[in-house]
Every structure is written in structure tokens, then in C-alpha cells.
């Protein structure tokens, strides 16, 4: 699918409808392009103002440099003018390959005008050899190539392995703004908003992301897709290569009707989608938070070899709370460690630590030092019966979060049992912010609550199981 | 239960084991007392250093002023010295009424030493007419009287109607730090950590909070309580007066075993607790986030008269997402409004707004201005078929969150349909922070996600239903 490469890494990008008015999408798009680091951005506006220090051209044809991508923010009723401008450019230069149409007012209105406009635009572009993303989308972000055609207020510029494709611009904006606001921001590879999917659609994007080296995990917000079989096959090919996490809405009858009213998607019977996603190895998230947590876990943690989790908590309450969540809402189980491991824990921990009572959980108590947190973790990771560890601590003034962070960072730098995921939960608020930032910038993933950590780990363990089933079948067949 | 008033509003509070070392609990307790605004705090330490500018006394008896409460941070093995000091004070002054024992090392260790210490302390205090909170607790906070005996790093000093009682100090610290870190902080009335419950226990605290004017809603973290019937009766009395939200852990076998290992609580069969909580009208939260959201909703919103919700969203995706959550995980239903209301919405909103398709949801689209958000909300609140409204918006540069906030604030100041709760969700991250802060400081409650808003609203509607059932029975009998 090298075909779509230019959508994410175009040589030259023109912004039609660029504006000097900060209250317009045509301003924010140029601002985002510049902030993303794009050096070949060309604002186009018939009124010819300057935009953010860049000279504006009256039309596409006046741009001397190559223009592989055109982002259009001009209102839908100027569609014919847009087509004329594209036709002129192609006649003289023939270099435009992709058109991203940000404006609404096309087929999604389900009115005659809008349908005709979309049809006319599509026919013209097809004859001009231009692929179309949208209309009614917010376009693409690529942190490797450095482009951002969206008008989303804040987008993470932190390069990472997560790529996200969305059937709703607003759901995309929700995640993008959330990720950009974290400290440090969540690492992003590519974001694509597909809008009306007049031409380029979900499956093409998924296929492209499968082959994309900078993408380690794919997230998708899905309302519905007309060719279920084609989507299933694409997801299956993708899941065999890298994890994919789907937030599929329309779980209820009313939700499905709302989806149909929104993008015209036939959400279909939810249990059919549910079964399909399971079968093709895609993980289904039940909330935006779960989607976000799970994407980060896949991107930044090693896959666990199995579902046996050891839980280390420095207080009883959060330990019981986490045990409940783990046992009730996940397919994870508490690990049974060897007697030698228990002995080592006993020696490493304060006298009243509660070790493996029940199995798989050490309550190291509030008397535990920061060093004892790390020591307990090391001992547990070295046990062969443990596939992953969750560490929950509520630091106090005399055992500050930054000390726990320092010890954990040292541990991961020297640990003899690599390859096992560790999920850290530091509770809570301002007193732990510095510790969380230290951990995150040193590659240790943290979660805001114990329940969110175990949900993400559950998806990882289930994906590992699905992969192994595939390997076994392959080996057997 | 006027008996416990002095626990929250003591005339004079001595801190035994006060310390000038910021790495000690005995330092943080004094710091928290001062920060809470307590003017009669007396640090006690045999070494007689100065603590945070306050003169330290060698013993309780040296304090000339009245001392109604003693907070002890001295290690458990000095219990006899603590008893001796209390006895001396009572002989000469007889003014101590409450002892808060912060130290661990008592019955929770389940070792002979600890059990004996707790027994000795209890017997002595009983003979000295002193009630004991703890041991192994973090004590109490009261924002009205201005005391804080805890060593929690950050506690909200914002007065509000929420009181919280916890069987785990760490779970309490988690919530306290989280609430203190919000901008503005969550409003708190009282916090109580009951620890080992050697003397003062959960039920006594619940009974006190029932009569407490500054408490509008009670939250509880519960592992287990030996006298189930007494707890049920107390909760029932409480729920008839004000809402109560319970996070009961030990939902699973392993979780129950962890609870037993922690506080020795017999968590019992979870379904028995579950049935009891339902019957007595307590709302059961399934996560800390749900507990926190629901407490805030009860404290700050009007109770809805029924379960009919109208959903206003400025984008399709979040609307479908919220519809799913509402239909799947709550007993709420989407409201059916009159034709006149639909006509009014049509006139008030952009041309492509999707109105009541499905029923109970208006997608006002990204073309909607801030004023149109407020206008749609007003129209909907005026319909008699609507008990509550959820408003979800993903502001963009050209329709900033602060403008939506301003319009909503104006609306609530002038609205002709008071008494209906409005739950606002502004998505997301830094771009909406200012808008959220404006709404919150003007009395409009916001939620971080649509799903969290509808879960909180669900609890309110269910509580209203339970209250009405009781009224009907009363009227019938």
C-alpha cells in the first residue's frame, strides 16, 4: 500500500481557504502544519493576505514548488471553484496526488445539494488522478514526516508508535487533545480522520498502517463499515502483524440508530461485530479511557507471555480494590509464586508485610521504603510463575513519589528479568505528579487507577493468547 | 450523636510525637492542622524542639490551654508512655475527650504484642473517659471547624457538602489528594479514617454524619463490618435523610480474602452486601472514579425527578458513545420531547442539526455557536418530558470552551426551568481547562467523560426512585 505514502508524507502541501483570522479553520490548519514542522506549506486564498508570516497565493497554479497534497477548508458551496483550481494545476503541473477536504456540507447532509457536490468532486478528482480523504474529515497527522492538516487545538508532537484512525473527527479531537495535554504527551505516529469516506476508506488506512514501520499499534473508532468481510480481513491481516484496539459504538439499538443518523453507518447487530473482532484478534475497548490506556500499554510495554499477574501494593485498600477488578473484569489471574520467592520477599520487606495472602499479592505496607518497593518488584519478576507485575503505591511525605520513581528507574535499568511488563500506579493528584513524570520520561508506563492498569494488561494477555493460537495452528497445519 | 461533635471540632488539639523533621508523620500532622486553620494546636515531644514555629511541650500536662483531642503519632511500642501521659493529664485537667491514634502496630498485626497494646490502650482510655479513633488510622478532617489530624500530603480545604468515611487510610488519601488537585478543588465537609475501629466505628460515624448539617452526601469505603444488621439500619436511617454512596470491596473470593488479610474484615458473600445496600437505599459505586463523580453530583446538582435524559452533543461520535453508555449501563432512558420542543430546536439550531433522531438526542453539529449550545439546552429543559440534560461539546479554536462556558453560566443564571440537573462534558485536555474552571467556579458541574456523567446521573435517578418508593409506602400505610 505504498500508494498512500504521500497522504502522510507529501512533497508540498497547499492549504486552500487559508486565513489570517485565528477564528477560522483555515488559520488553524496552517498553524498546525507549521507547528508539526512542515516546511513546504503554501497558503492559498483569493484575497491574498499573508498568513502566519507566509505569503498567500491566489490559486494553486501560482505555487512554483511541487504540491503533492491539497488541504481544502473552503466552504462546500465553492466546490466547483475548488475543482477548477485543481484542474488548472493538474493541466500545468500534474503533481497533486491527494486532496483532504475538511469542509462539511457534502453527502453527510443527506440532502440533494450535498450529495451532488460530493459526486462532482469525486468524479473530477478521479479523472485528475487525485485521491480524496473526506469530505467532512479533519485529515491526517504524521509526527515522523511532520504534517498536521487538522484544525484540532492541540495535538501531541511526541513521536511514538500509536496510530489512530477515526470515523468521527470529534472523537479524534478528544483523543488528540487528551494525549497532547499529558506530561509528557502520549507518543503518536499517525492520526487519520476518514470523514465521509467518499474515496479513501478505513480499510485502506488499516492496510497502510500494517506496513508502516513507525506504527507499533493501531487504534480505531468505528461506527460501521458497509463491507464487513473486507473490514474483517483487513483487521485480521493487521492483527497478525501488530495489535489493534477498536472502540466500536452502536452497542445498543439506540446507539446504532444514532450512528446511522451520524455517518449513515449501518452499525449492524452488535454481537456480530463483537464476534468478528474477537475472531480476527482485534481487542475491543469498552470506553475511550480503556482505548487510550490499552494503546499506550501495547506501544510501550512488552507483551506478557501469559496471564499470571503479581500485585504489589503498599497499602491494603488499593490492593483489595485491584484484586476485585482483576478477578471480576479480566481474564488475568493472580500468580502463584515459588516458596523461595516468598522467602525472599519476607526477607526484603517490613515485618508486617502480608505476603501471598491471598496468593499473587504482597501488601508491603506503608512501612515499606522506596527501595523495598523496587526490591519486591525485582524478586517477583524473577519468579518463572509471574508474567506481569502491577505496582500500586500511595506515597506519603516521608516516602515521596520521586524516590519510588528513582528506585524503579534504577531497577528497570539493571533488571535481570526483562521482557515482563510492569504497570505502575502512583496515587494520586499533585503529590505524585513529579514521580509520574520521572517514570514516564524514563520509559516506565503509569496508569491513573489500578482498574485501568489491569484492563490494559488484560487486553495484552488476550492478544498474546490469540497470537499463540495462530502460531499453534500454523505449527500444527 | 452530639457525643462525637468534639471529634470534629475539638477545643484544643495536642499532637504527640510532633517533629521538626519534615520526613516524619509528626511534622506533617502539625503542618496539616495549621493549614486547615486550627488555632489551638499544641505539639508535644519529650525532646522539646520547636515545630513549625510552635513551642513544643514535653508532656500533655504542660499544656496550659484546654486539650479536648490528642492525636498520637508516637510509635506503638511507646503505648504505655502515651497512657501514662493521658492519665496524668486527666488527673490534673480531665479535659481530653478524644484520642486519635495514627500509629500502626496494634491489632492489625494480628500478633500478640499488637493485640495486647490495643487492649491496654482501650482499657486505659475507657477508664479515663476518652473515646479512641483508630489505632492505625489517619484520623479526621473537618473543613468547617478547620482541623486535619492526617498526614496526607494534600487535602482539599474547599468547604463543601461531601463527607467521606474510609476503612482504609490509603483509599482515603487517594481521594483526598485527587480532590485537592482539581481546579477548583472538590468541596469537602468531613473525612474520617476509622482504622482498626477499636472503639469508634463506622456506624457511629455514619450516625453522626446523618445529623451533621454541613454534610449533604456521605461516601464510604467499606471492606466489611461484623454487625451487618447494625450497619444496614444505620445506612437506612442515613439514606432516608441524605444520599450515601458506598464503594464495597471484596466483590470476588480473592478480594474478600485480601480484605480479611487487611483489616480482618469478613467481607461475607458479596451478593448479601449488594442486596442489603440496594434495600437500604445506599448507592453502590463500582469504582473510585464512579464514587467520586457520584458524590460530587449529589452534592452539587438537584436530584432529577425521573430518569428521562435529553442529550445535546455538538458532534456525532460522542453522542453515539454516550447513547450506548446510557442505554447499556444505566437505568436512564432518552427523553421523548413534544413536537413543539422539536420545532423550537429546529429554529434554534444550524440547518444540518440532527434533532431527535433517535429520540432524546440532538446533534447540534460543529456548526453550532456557543449561544446555540445554551439555546438548545434551555429549550430542552423547558420540556416537561425531560428530567435531566447532558451536554457534550468538543470546542474548537473558533468556538472556544470559554465562550460555551460563558453562555451556559448566563443560562443557569436566568433559566426558567430550575431544579433539573445539567451535566456538562467539555472534551478535552488543555484547550478546555479554562472553560471547565469557569463552569466549576460558577456552580456548574463538569465531568471528564460522557460515560462518567451518565453513571453519576444514573445513581441520582435511582436514589430519587428509592426515596419516592419510601414516600409512597408511608402515604399508603
Amino acid at each position: 500500500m505504498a500508494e498512500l505514502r504521500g497522504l502522510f508524507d507529501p512533497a508540498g502541501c497547499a492549504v486552500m481557504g487559508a486565513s489570517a483570522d485565528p477564528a477560522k479553520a483555515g488559520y488553524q490548519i496552517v498553524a498546525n502544519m507549521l507547528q508539526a514542522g512542515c516546511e513546504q506549506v503554501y497558503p492559498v486564498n483569493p484575497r491574498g493576505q499573508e498568513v502566519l508570516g507566509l505569503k498567500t497565493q491566489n490559486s494553486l497554479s501560482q505555487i512554483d514548488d511541487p504540491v503533492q497534497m491539497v488541504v481544502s477548508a473552503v466552504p462546500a458551496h465553492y466546490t466547483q471553484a475548488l475543482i477548477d483550481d485543481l484542474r488548472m494545476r493538474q493541466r500545468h503541473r500534474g503533481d497533486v496526488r491527494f486532496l483532504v477536504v475538511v469542509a462539511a456540507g457534502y453527502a453527510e447532509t443527506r440532502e440533494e445539494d450535498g450529495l451532488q457536490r460530493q459526486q462532482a468532486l469525486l468524479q473530477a478528482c478521479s479523472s485528475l488522478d487525485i485521491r480524496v480523504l473526506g469530505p467532512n474529515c479533519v485529515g491526517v497527522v504524521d509526527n515522523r514526516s511532520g504534517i498536521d492538516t487538522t484544525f484540532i487545538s492541540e495535538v501531541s508532537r511526541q513521536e511514538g508508535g500509536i496510530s489512530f484512525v477515526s470515523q468521527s473527527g470529534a472523537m479524534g479531537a478528544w483523543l488528540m487533545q487528551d494525549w497532547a495535554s499529558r506530561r509528557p504527551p502520549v507518543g503518536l505516529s499517525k492520526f487519520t480522520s476518514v470523514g465521509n469516506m467518499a474515496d479513501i476508506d478505513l480499510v485502506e488506512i488499516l492496510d497502510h498502517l500494517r506496513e508502516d514501520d513507525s506504527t507499533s499499534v493501531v487504534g480505531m473508532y468505528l461506527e460501521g463499515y458497509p463491507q464487513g468481510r473486507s473490514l474483517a480481513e483487513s483487521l485480521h491481516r493487521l492483527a497478525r502483524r501488530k495489535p489493534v484496539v477498536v472502540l466500536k459504538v452502536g452497542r445498543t439499538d439506540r446507539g446504532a440508530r444514532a450512528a446511522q443518523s451520524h455517518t449513515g453507518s449501518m452499525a449492524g447487530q452488535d454481537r456480530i461485530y463483537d464476534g468478528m473482532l474477537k475472531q480476527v484478534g482485534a481487542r475491543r475497548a469498552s470506553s475511550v479511557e480503556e482505548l487510550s490506556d490499552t494503546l499506550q500499554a501495547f506501544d510501550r510495554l512488552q507483551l506478557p507471555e501469559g496471564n499470571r499477574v503479581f500485585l504489589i501494593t503498599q497499602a491494603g485498600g488499593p490492593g483489595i480494590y485491584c484484586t476485585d477488578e482483576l478477578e471480576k473484569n479480566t481474564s488475568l489471574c493472580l500468580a502463584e509464586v515459588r516458596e523461595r520467592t516468598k522467602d525472599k520477599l519476607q526477607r526484603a520487606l517490613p515485618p508486617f508485610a502480608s505476603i501471598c495472602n491471598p496468593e499473587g499479592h504482597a501488601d508491603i505496607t506503608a512501612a515499606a521504603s522506596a527501595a523495598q518497593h523496587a526490591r519486591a518488584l525485582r524478586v517477583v519478576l524473577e519468579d518463572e510463575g509471574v508474567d506481569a507485575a502491577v505496582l500500586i503505591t500511595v506515597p506519603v511525605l516521608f516516602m515521596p513519589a520521586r524516590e519510588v520513581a528513582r528506585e524503579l528507574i534504577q531497577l528497570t535499568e539493571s533488571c535481570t528479568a526483562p521482557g515482563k511488563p510492569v504497570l505502575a500506579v502512583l496515587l494520586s493528584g499533585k503529590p505524585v505528579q513529579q514521580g509520574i513524570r520521572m517514570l514516564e520520561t524514563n520509559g516506565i508506563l503509569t496508569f491513573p487507577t489500578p482498574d485501568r492498569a489491569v484492563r490494559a494488561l488484560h487486553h495484552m494477555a488476550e492478544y498474546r493468547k490469540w497470537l499463540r493460537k495462530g502460531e499453534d495452528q500454523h505449527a500444527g497445519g
Side-chain angles (χ1 to χ4, degrees), chain A residues 245-435:
Chain A
V245 189
V246 178
L247 181 68
K248 162 73 177 69
V249 294
R251 288 184 293 162
T252 60
D253 286 350
R254 292 237 182 181
R257 275 158 56 202
Q260 203 185 339
S261 159
H262 180 223
T263 42
S265 298
M266 293 300 293
Q269 284 206 308
D270 190 65
R271 60 185 175 77
I272 294 175
Y273 269 96
D274 202 63
M276 178 274 275
L277 292 172
K278 265 200 197 82
Q279 202 178 341
V280 303
R283 298 307 312 162
R284 184 172 188 180
S286 62
S287 71
V288 168
E289 288 174 339
E290 189 175 314
L291 172 73
S292 175
D293 296 336
T294 307
L295 289 172
Q296 290 175 73
F298 273 122
D299 184 34
R300 295 181 44 201
L301 296 175
Q302 295 272 354
L303 268 191
E305 285 302 312
N307 68 343
R308 300 164 304 172
V309 183
F310 200 97
L311 184 57
I312 297 171
T313 70
Q314 156 263 23
I320 306 164
Y321 179 71
C322 189
T323 299
D324 271 349
E325 185 64 26
L326 195 146
E327 294 269 316
K328 197 168 185 101
N329 295 326
T330 74
S331 59
L332 303 171
C333 70
L334 285 163
E336 300 211 7
V337 297
R338 289 176 301 180
E339 286 306 315
R340 242 189 76 202
T341 301
K342 294 180 191 176
D343 291 345
K344 280 190 197 169
L345 283 172
Q346 199 81 61
R347 283 196 300 274
L349 292 173
F352 297 123
S354 170
I355 293 164
C356 299
N357 176 24
E359 290 288 343
H361 176 208
D363 175 2
I364 66 178
T365 79
S369 66
Q372 283 172 319
H373 282 71
R375 230 172 290 152
L377 186 56
R378 178 194 291 267
V379 167
V380 158
L381 290 175
E382 283 169 355
D383 191 291
E384 283 166 18
V386 173
D387 297 312
V390 175
L391 178 97
I392 304 169
T393 186
V394 188
V396 280
L397 189 79
F398 33 97
M399 204 275 307
R402 60 175 185 281
E403 277 182 25
V404 180
R406 195 173 303 128
E407 293 284 345
L408 293 181
I409 291 162
Q410 271 177 21
L411 173 69
T412 52
E413 281 166 357
S414 70
C415 190
T416 53
K420 294 183 183 178
V422 173
L423 295 86
V425 183
L426 272 60
L427 298 169
S428 64
K430 231 171 85 184
V432 299
Q433 270 172 15
Q434 192 191 354

Side-chain angles (χ1 to χ4, degrees), chain A residues 14-19 24-30 42-49 56-60 70-86 99-106 108 117-118 121 133 135-137 149 151:
Chain A
V15 180
M16 313 270 297
S19 169
K24 301 268 187 199
Y27 172 92
Q28 183 78 14
I29 293 170
V30 177
Y42 309 103
V44 177
N45 189 312
R47 283 191 304 277
Q49 323 140 287
T56 308
Q57 304 295 345
N58 291 330
S59 70
L60 286 174
V70 173
V71 180
S72 173
V74 299
H77 54 270
Y78 291 126
T79 300
Q80 192 50 53
L82 171 65
I83 291 172
D84 293 344
D85 209 1
L86 285 166
L99 172 68
V100 175
V101 183
V102 164
Y106 291 90
E108 84 284 355
R117 268 181 214 131
Q118 183 164 318
L121 184 67
L133 184 68
N136 186 30
C137 73
T149 78
F151 51 89

